[in-house]
Amino acid sequence: MTVFQGLIIVFILFVLYKAIRRFINKEISIWLMVFWCGFWVVLGLIAIFPIIIESIATFVGVGRGVDLIIYIALFVCFYILFKMSIKQKKNEKDIVDLVRKIALVQAKKKG
Amino acid sequence: MLVSVVVPTYNEGLRLQSTLDLLVPTKYEVIVVDDGSEEDTAEIVRGYPIHFLSHPVNCGQGAALKTGTEYARQLGSDLIAHFDADGQHRVEDLEKMIAHLQNNDLDIVLGSRFMNQETTFPLQKRIILQLAKIFSDKIMDLDFSDPQSGLRVFKTNILDQLDWQKNDFLHCTEILSLIIENKLRYQELPIIVNYHLDGKKEVRPRLSMGLKIVLHKLFH
Protein backbone atom coordinates (compact mmCIF):
# COMPACT_ATOMS: atom_id res chain seq x y z
CA MET A 1 0.00 0.00 0.00
CA THR A 2 1.31 3.44 -0.95
CA VAL A 3 1.35 6.50 1.32
CA PHE A 4 -1.34 8.08 -0.88
CA GLN A 5 -3.62 5.04 -0.44
CA GLY A 6 -3.00 5.17 3.31
CA LEU A 7 -3.99 8.84 3.47
CA ILE A 8 -7.18 8.17 1.53
CA ILE A 9 -8.12 5.31 3.88
CA VAL A 10 -7.54 7.53 6.94
CA PHE A 11 -9.66 10.27 5.38
CA ILE A 12 -12.45 7.82 4.51
CA LEU A 13 -12.46 6.39 8.05
CA PHE A 14 -12.76 9.95 9.37
CA VAL A 15 -15.73 10.70 7.07
CA LEU A 16 -17.43 7.41 8.02
CA TYR A 17 -17.00 8.29 11.70
CA LYS A 18 -18.56 11.75 11.09
CA ALA A 19 -21.50 10.25 9.15
CA ILE A 20 -22.23 7.71 11.89
CA ARG A 21 -21.89 10.38 14.61
CA ARG A 22 -24.37 12.63 12.79
CA PHE A 23 -26.80 9.70 12.50
CA ILE A 24 -26.44 8.88 16.23
CA ASN A 25 -27.06 12.57 17.04
CA LYS A 26 -30.19 12.35 14.83
CA GLU A 27 -28.88 15.04 12.49
CA ILE A 28 -29.27 12.84 9.40
CA SER A 29 -31.63 9.97 8.50
CA ILE A 30 -30.53 6.33 8.39
CA TRP A 31 -30.85 6.35 4.58
CA LEU A 32 -28.54 9.32 4.20
CA MET A 33 -26.05 7.68 6.58
CA VAL A 34 -26.20 4.42 4.58
CA PHE A 35 -25.77 6.36 1.31
CA TRP A 36 -22.69 8.27 2.53
CA CYS A 37 -21.13 5.20 4.16
CA GLY A 38 -21.71 3.16 1.00
CA PHE A 39 -20.28 5.92 -1.18
CA TRP A 40 -17.08 6.25 0.89
CA VAL A 41 -16.66 2.47 1.30
CA VAL A 42 -16.78 2.10 -2.51
CA LEU A 43 -14.18 4.88 -2.83
CA GLY A 44 -12.05 3.11 -0.21
CA LEU A 45 -12.24 -0.17 -2.13
CA ILE A 46 -11.24 1.62 -5.32
CA ALA A 47 -8.29 3.22 -3.50
CA ILE A 48 -7.10 -0.14 -2.14
CA PHE A 49 -7.85 -2.12 -5.31
CA PRO A 50 -7.35 0.28 -8.27
CA ILE A 51 -7.85 -2.67 -10.61
CA ILE A 52 -11.62 -2.28 -10.00
CA ILE A 53 -11.77 1.18 -11.59
CA GLU A 54 -9.28 0.17 -14.30
CA SER A 55 -11.54 -2.74 -15.30
CA ILE A 56 -14.64 -0.52 -15.35
CA ALA A 57 -12.74 2.11 -17.41
CA THR A 58 -11.69 -0.50 -19.94
CA PHE A 59 -15.25 -1.85 -20.03
CA VAL A 60 -16.83 1.56 -20.76
CA GLY A 61 -14.04 2.48 -23.16
CA VAL A 62 -12.53 5.45 -21.32
CA GLY A 63 -9.02 4.06 -21.15
CA ARG A 64 -7.46 4.95 -17.81
CA GLY A 65 -9.19 4.52 -14.45
CA VAL A 66 -8.07 7.98 -13.33
CA ASP A 67 -9.76 9.55 -16.35
CA LEU A 68 -13.00 7.78 -15.52
CA ILE A 69 -12.84 9.06 -11.94
CA ILE A 70 -12.25 12.62 -13.18
CA TYR A 71 -15.17 12.40 -15.64
CA ILE A 72 -17.50 11.06 -12.96
CA ALA A 73 -16.31 13.66 -10.43
CA LEU A 74 -16.86 16.50 -12.92
CA PHE A 75 -20.30 15.20 -13.82
CA VAL A 76 -21.28 14.92 -10.15
CA CYS A 77 -19.89 18.40 -9.38
CA PHE A 78 -21.81 20.04 -12.22
CA TYR A 79 -24.98 18.21 -11.25
CA ILE A 80 -24.64 19.32 -7.62
CA LEU A 81 -23.95 22.89 -8.80
CA PHE A 82 -27.07 22.80 -10.95
CA LYS A 83 -29.20 21.47 -8.08
CA MET A 84 -27.77 24.02 -5.63
CA SER A 85 -28.36 26.86 -8.06
CA ILE A 86 -32.04 25.87 -8.39
CA LYS A 87 -32.35 25.50 -4.63
CA GLN A 88 -30.67 28.87 -4.03
CA LYS A 89 -33.04 30.59 -6.50
CA LYS A 90 -36.02 29.02 -4.77
CA ASN A 91 -34.76 30.04 -1.33
CA GLU A 92 -34.17 33.59 -2.55
CA LYS A 93 -37.69 33.76 -3.98
CA ASP A 94 -39.17 32.38 -0.75
CA ILE A 95 -37.27 34.96 1.31
CA VAL A 96 -38.41 37.85 -0.90
CA ASP A 97 -42.01 36.60 -0.80
CA LEU A 98 -41.82 36.38 2.98
CA VAL A 99 -40.22 39.81 3.29
CA ARG A 100 -42.96 41.24 1.04
CA LYS A 101 -45.69 39.66 3.14
CA ILE A 102 -44.17 41.09 6.33
CA ALA A 103 -43.84 44.54 4.72
CA LEU A 104 -47.45 44.50 3.50
CA VAL A 105 -48.82 43.33 6.86
CA GLN A 106 -46.79 45.89 8.83
CA ALA A 107 -47.40 48.78 6.40
CA LYS A 108 -47.93 52.11 8.10
CA LYS A 109 -50.87 53.78 6.42
CA LYS A 110 -51.00 57.48 5.76
CA GLY A 111 -52.45 59.67 8.48
CA MET B 1 -58.86 58.58 -10.16
CA LEU B 2 -56.44 57.30 -7.53
CA VAL B 3 -52.77 57.60 -8.47
CA SER B 4 -50.05 56.06 -6.30
CA VAL B 5 -46.37 56.85 -6.54
CA VAL B 6 -44.04 54.09 -5.35
CA VAL B 7 -40.67 55.32 -4.08
CA PRO B 8 -38.16 52.53 -3.33
CA THR B 9 -35.36 53.64 -1.04
CA TYR B 10 -32.10 52.23 0.27
CA ASN B 11 -29.90 54.41 2.46
CA GLU B 12 -31.00 57.60 0.69
CA GLY B 13 -31.13 59.73 3.88
CA LEU B 14 -31.73 63.42 3.26
CA ARG B 15 -32.17 62.89 -0.49
CA LEU B 16 -35.34 60.94 0.34
CA GLN B 17 -36.62 63.89 2.37
CA SER B 18 -36.02 66.23 -0.60
CA THR B 19 -37.91 63.83 -2.85
CA LEU B 20 -40.82 63.64 -0.40
CA ASP B 21 -40.87 67.44 -0.13
CA LEU B 22 -41.59 67.44 -3.87
CA LEU B 23 -44.10 64.58 -3.92
CA VAL B 24 -46.17 65.21 -0.80
CA PRO B 25 -47.80 68.48 -2.03
CA THR B 26 -49.19 66.60 -5.06
CA LYS B 27 -52.56 64.87 -4.93
CA TYR B 28 -50.98 61.44 -5.32
CA GLU B 29 -50.70 58.71 -2.71
CA VAL B 30 -47.01 58.40 -1.89
CA ILE B 31 -45.78 54.91 -0.95
CA VAL B 32 -42.23 54.68 0.36
CA VAL B 33 -40.69 51.21 0.47
CA ASP B 34 -37.53 50.96 2.52
CA ASP B 35 -35.44 48.08 1.19
CA GLY B 36 -33.65 47.09 4.38
CA SER B 37 -31.63 50.31 4.80
CA GLU B 38 -28.97 50.43 7.48
CA GLU B 39 -30.18 53.89 8.45
CA ASP B 40 -33.46 54.53 10.28
CA THR B 41 -35.67 55.37 7.30
CA ALA B 42 -38.82 55.28 9.46
CA GLU B 43 -37.38 58.17 11.46
CA ILE B 44 -36.41 60.06 8.28
CA VAL B 45 -39.96 59.90 6.88
CA ARG B 46 -41.70 60.50 10.21
CA GLY B 47 -44.19 63.34 9.93
CA TYR B 48 -44.72 62.98 6.19
CA PRO B 49 -48.30 62.05 5.15
CA ILE B 50 -47.22 58.94 3.26
CA HIS B 51 -47.65 55.18 3.32
CA PHE B 52 -44.53 53.48 4.63
CA LEU B 53 -43.46 49.89 4.10
CA SER B 54 -40.24 48.31 5.20
CA HIS B 55 -38.33 45.23 4.04
CA PRO B 56 -36.62 43.65 7.08
CA VAL B 57 -33.69 42.72 4.81
CA ASN B 58 -32.29 44.15 1.59
CA CYS B 59 -33.88 42.40 -1.39
CA GLY B 60 -33.11 44.72 -4.29
CA GLN B 61 -34.82 47.61 -6.05
CA GLY B 62 -36.99 45.36 -8.22
CA ALA B 63 -38.34 43.62 -5.13
CA ALA B 64 -39.01 46.91 -3.32
CA LEU B 65 -40.88 48.26 -6.34
CA LYS B 66 -42.97 45.12 -6.50
CA THR B 67 -43.87 45.38 -2.80
CA GLY B 68 -44.91 49.02 -3.24
CA THR B 69 -46.81 48.20 -6.42
CA GLU B 70 -48.70 45.38 -4.70
CA TYR B 71 -49.58 47.76 -1.85
CA ALA B 72 -50.77 50.36 -4.37
CA ARG B 73 -53.02 47.74 -5.92
CA GLN B 74 -54.44 46.91 -2.47
CA LEU B 75 -55.14 50.63 -1.97
CA GLY B 76 -57.31 50.50 -5.09
CA SER B 77 -55.06 52.69 -7.24
CA ASP B 78 -56.02 53.20 -10.87
CA LEU B 79 -52.56 54.32 -11.92
CA ILE B 80 -49.21 53.45 -10.37
CA ALA B 81 -45.95 55.35 -10.87
CA HIS B 82 -42.38 54.38 -10.04
CA PHE B 83 -40.23 57.28 -8.90
CA ASP B 84 -36.60 57.19 -7.70
CA ALA B 85 -35.90 58.26 -4.12
CA ASP B 86 -32.61 60.04 -4.80
CA GLY B 87 -34.15 63.24 -6.12
CA GLN B 88 -33.09 62.78 -9.75
CA HIS B 89 -36.66 62.80 -11.11
CA ARG B 90 -38.88 65.86 -11.48
CA VAL B 91 -42.52 66.04 -10.38
CA GLU B 92 -43.31 68.02 -13.57
CA ASP B 93 -42.27 65.01 -15.64
CA LEU B 94 -44.32 62.68 -13.46
CA GLU B 95 -47.42 64.86 -13.83
CA LYS B 96 -46.88 65.11 -17.58
CA MET B 97 -46.59 61.31 -17.86
CA ILE B 98 -49.69 60.69 -15.73
CA ALA B 99 -51.73 63.16 -17.82
CA HIS B 100 -50.45 61.53 -21.01
CA LEU B 101 -51.50 58.08 -19.79
CA GLN B 102 -54.94 59.36 -18.77
CA ASN B 103 -55.56 61.15 -22.06
CA ASN B 104 -54.31 58.50 -24.46
CA ASP B 105 -55.11 54.92 -25.29
CA LEU B 106 -52.01 53.53 -23.58
CA ASP B 107 -51.13 51.00 -20.87
CA ILE B 108 -47.79 52.37 -19.79
CA VAL B 109 -45.74 55.52 -20.21
CA LEU B 110 -41.95 55.38 -19.80
CA GLY B 111 -39.67 58.28 -19.05
CA SER B 112 -36.69 58.66 -21.38
CA ARG B 113 -33.58 60.62 -20.53
CA PHE B 114 -32.26 60.40 -24.08
CA MET B 115 -35.24 62.01 -25.82
CA ASN B 116 -34.50 65.30 -24.11
CA GLN B 117 -31.29 67.12 -24.88
CA GLU B 118 -31.61 69.28 -21.76
CA THR B 119 -30.37 66.52 -19.49
CA THR B 120 -26.64 66.83 -18.95
CA PHE B 121 -25.13 63.50 -18.07
CA PRO B 122 -21.76 63.09 -16.44
CA LEU B 123 -19.51 61.54 -19.12
CA GLN B 124 -19.14 58.21 -17.30
CA LYS B 125 -22.93 57.91 -16.87
CA ARG B 126 -23.53 58.76 -20.54
CA ILE B 127 -21.12 56.01 -21.67
CA ILE B 128 -22.68 53.44 -19.34
CA LEU B 129 -26.23 54.26 -20.41
CA GLN B 130 -25.33 54.19 -24.10
CA LEU B 131 -23.67 50.80 -23.65
CA ALA B 132 -26.76 49.56 -21.80
CA LYS B 133 -28.90 50.81 -24.70
CA ILE B 134 -26.76 49.05 -27.32
CA PHE B 135 -26.93 45.92 -25.20
CA SER B 136 -30.70 46.19 -24.87
CA ASP B 137 -31.17 46.86 -28.61
CA LYS B 138 -28.85 44.25 -30.01
CA ILE B 139 -28.94 41.45 -27.45
CA MET B 140 -32.39 41.80 -25.95
CA ASP B 141 -34.13 43.03 -29.14
CA LEU B 142 -35.77 45.79 -27.13
CA ASP B 143 -35.93 49.02 -29.07
CA PHE B 144 -36.41 51.57 -26.30
CA SER B 145 -34.55 54.87 -26.14
CA ASP B 146 -33.80 54.53 -22.41
CA PRO B 147 -33.96 50.91 -21.21
CA GLN B 148 -32.72 51.71 -17.69
CA SER B 149 -35.10 54.52 -16.83
CA GLY B 150 -36.67 54.28 -13.37
CA LEU B 151 -39.55 56.67 -14.06
CA ARG B 152 -42.67 54.94 -15.39
CA VAL B 153 -46.44 55.16 -15.00
CA PHE B 154 -48.87 52.37 -15.77
CA LYS B 155 -52.47 51.30 -15.37
CA THR B 156 -53.15 48.89 -12.50
CA ASN B 157 -55.19 46.58 -14.72
CA ILE B 158 -52.06 45.52 -16.63
CA LEU B 159 -50.26 44.34 -13.49
CA ASP B 160 -50.98 40.68 -14.17
CA GLN B 161 -49.11 41.06 -17.46
CA LEU B 162 -46.39 43.19 -15.90
CA ASP B 163 -45.47 40.63 -13.26
CA TRP B 164 -41.70 41.10 -13.11
CA GLN B 165 -39.69 38.59 -11.08
CA LYS B 166 -36.23 40.12 -11.03
CA ASN B 167 -35.36 41.57 -7.65
CA ASP B 168 -32.26 43.48 -8.73
CA PHE B 169 -31.60 46.12 -11.42
CA LEU B 170 -32.65 43.62 -14.10
CA HIS B 171 -36.31 44.43 -13.39
CA CYS B 172 -35.99 47.41 -15.80
CA THR B 173 -35.10 45.14 -18.71
CA GLU B 174 -37.64 42.54 -17.64
CA ILE B 175 -40.44 45.13 -17.58
CA LEU B 176 -39.57 46.15 -21.14
CA SER B 177 -39.55 42.49 -22.20
CA LEU B 178 -42.98 42.01 -20.63
CA ILE B 179 -44.33 45.10 -22.44
CA ILE B 180 -43.28 43.62 -25.79
CA GLU B 181 -44.26 40.05 -24.91
CA ASN B 182 -47.77 41.04 -23.83
CA LYS B 183 -48.18 43.63 -26.59
CA LEU B 184 -48.90 46.39 -24.10
CA ARG B 185 -49.52 49.85 -25.52
CA TYR B 186 -46.63 52.04 -24.49
CA GLN B 187 -45.03 55.35 -25.23
CA GLU B 188 -41.80 56.98 -24.14
CA LEU B 189 -41.84 60.61 -23.08
CA PRO B 190 -38.80 62.84 -22.67
CA ILE B 191 -37.82 63.62 -19.10
CA ILE B 192 -35.09 65.70 -17.53
CA VAL B 193 -32.96 64.08 -14.86
CA ASN B 194 -30.82 65.87 -12.32
CA TYR B 195 -27.48 64.09 -11.98
CA HIS B 196 -25.79 66.87 -10.09
CA LEU B 197 -27.26 66.36 -6.65
CA ASP B 198 -25.39 66.95 -3.42
CA GLY B 199 -24.01 63.76 -1.96
CA LYS B 200 -25.41 61.73 -4.84
CA LYS B 201 -24.49 58.07 -4.61
CA GLU B 202 -22.68 56.79 -7.65
CA VAL B 203 -23.75 53.42 -8.93
CA ARG B 204 -20.66 51.92 -10.44
CA PRO B 205 -21.07 49.71 -13.50
CA ARG B 206 -20.10 46.10 -13.04
CA LEU B 207 -19.23 43.48 -15.60
CA SER B 208 -21.59 41.13 -13.77
CA MET B 209 -24.52 43.37 -14.76
CA GLY B 210 -23.91 42.81 -18.48
CA LEU B 211 -23.33 39.12 -17.86
CA LYS B 212 -26.62 38.85 -15.99
CA ILE B 213 -28.48 40.44 -18.92
CA VAL B 214 -26.93 37.94 -21.33
CA LEU B 215 -27.82 35.01 -19.05
CA HIS B 216 -31.34 36.41 -18.66
CA LYS B 217 -31.70 36.50 -22.45
CA LEU B 218 -30.33 32.98 -22.86
CA PHE B 219 -32.29 31.21 -20.15
CA HIS B 220 -35.60 33.06 -19.87
Side-chain angles (χ1 to χ4, degrees):
Chain A
M1 183 183 287
T2 64
V3 176
F4 184 65
Q5 282 173 316
L7 287 173
I8 288 176
I9 302 299
V10 171
F11 177 74
I12 288 170
L13 288 173
F14 172 72
V15 177
L16 287 176
Y17 165 74
K18 292 289 279 185
I20 293 165
R21 272 293 297 270
R22 290 185 71 186
F23 168 68
I24 291 168
N25 292 338
K26 294 181 179 165
E27 290 171 34
I28 57 172
S29 68
I30 187 166
W31 297 113
L32 197 58
M33 190 267 289
V34 168
F35 168 78
W36 280 119
C37 288
F39 176 78
W40 289 107
V41 166
V42 169
L43 279 192
L45 288 173
I46 290 170
I48 299 166
F49 308 109
I51 187 70
I52 299 173
I53 198 73
E54 293 291 343
S55 308
I56 298 171
T58 309
F59 176 72
V60 296
V62 171
R64 293 192 309 161
V66 175
D67 291 345
L68 181 63
I69 290 172
I70 290 170
Y71 293 150
I72 293 171
L74 273 177
F75 174 77
V76 170
C77 283
F78 279 118
Y79 180 72
I80 291 170
L81 206 63
F82 170 70
K83 292 287 282 184
M84 282 175 72
S85 155
I86 290 172
K87 182 103 179 155
Q88 188 251 335
K89 288 271 174 213
K90 189 188 172 300
N91 286 344
E92 190 183 308
K93 188 182 178 307
D94 288 349
I95 289 169
V96 173
D97 287 348
L98 185 64
V99 163
R100 181 164 297 126
K101 273 185 187 150
I102 292 169
L104 289 168
V105 167
Q106 296 182 343
K108 289 181 185 130
K109 292 195 175 175
K110 186 168 87 174
Chain B
M1 180 169 273
L2 187 64
V3 181
S4 291
V5 182
V6 179
V7 184
T9 181
Y10 179 68
N11 292 336
E12 290 296 349
L14 294 176
R15 287 183 296 270
L16 174 63
Q17 282 187 335
S18 310
T19 304
L20 292 179
D21 288 339
L22 296 172
L23 284 172
V24 163
T26 65
K27 56 187 184 296
Y28 312 131
E29 295 293 318
V30 180
I31 301 164
V32 172
V33 184
D34 175 41
D35 189 26
S37 296
E38 285 140 34
E39 63 191 17
D40 190 357
T41 309
E43 190 55 40
I44 290 167
V45 302
R46 189 185 300 276
Y48 284 98
I50 57 155
H51 303 270
F52 180 69
L53 290 88
S54 177
H55 282 178
V57 292
N58 182 248
C59 295
Q61 195 192 36
L65 279 170
K66 195 161 179 176
T67 301
T69 303
E70 181 52 39
Y71 183 78
R73 176 166 32 193
Q74 289 178 10
L75 277 184
S77 310
D78 300 296
L79 300 184
I80 300 170
H82 291 167
F83 196 92
D84 284 358
D86 58 7
Q88 63 168 283
H89 293 145
R90 303 188 318 159
V91 172
E92 303 94 284
D93 289 327
L94 176 69
E95 287 169 335
K96 182 178 71 180
M97 288 167 69
I98 290 169
H100 195 76
L101 186 59
Q102 284 173 323
N103 299 327
N104 292 279
D105 200 17
L106 295 167
D107 295 312
I108 182 164
V109 174
L110 306 156
S112 169
R113 294 163 285 188
F114 292 108
M115 290 171 80
N116 196 317
Q117 297 307 311
E118 285 181 53
T119 300
T120 53
F121 297 91
L123 180 67
Q124 191 190 5
K125 189 86 185 173
R126 179 171 283 276
I127 293 168
I128 294 161
L129 289 173
Q130 284 295 350
L131 284 175
K133 180 168 161 36
I134 292 167
F135 223 67
S136 174
D137 278 0
K138 306 298 175 199
I139 298 193
M140 302 296 293
D141 289 331
L142 298 170
D143 189 18
F144 291 84
S145 68
D146 187 358
Q148 295 299 311
S149 174
L151 185 57
R152 60 182 79 87
V153 187
F154 50 90
K155 289 178 177 161
T156 310
N157 60 13
I158 63 157
L159 264 181
D160 288 338
Q161 294 154 285
L162 209 64
D163 185 26
W164 69 93
Q165 300 296 317
K166 296 291 171 195
N167 297 321
D168 53 13
F169 78 99
L170 268 181
H171 72 274
C172 289
T173 313
E174 193 185 1
I175 285 173
L176 302 184
S177 295
L178 289 168
I179 289 171
I180 299 299
E181 228 175 272
N182 294 302
K183 299 185 174 60
L184 298 175
R185 295 159 301 173
Y186 72 94
Q187 195 171 340
E188 291 182 284
L189 284 189
I191 59 168
I192 297 173
V193 173
N194 183 10
Y195 279 116
H196 306 285
L197 304 163
D198 290 338
K200 174 92 178 73
K201 281 191 301 187
E202 271 303 314
V203 180
R204 294 195 179 279
R206 284 187 233 136
L207 191 64
S208 61
M209 292 183 178
L211 190 65
K212 274 188 175 183
I213 292 175
V214 175
L215 290 174
H216 174 78
K217 174 70 179 170
L218 286 173
F219 297 110
H220 291 84

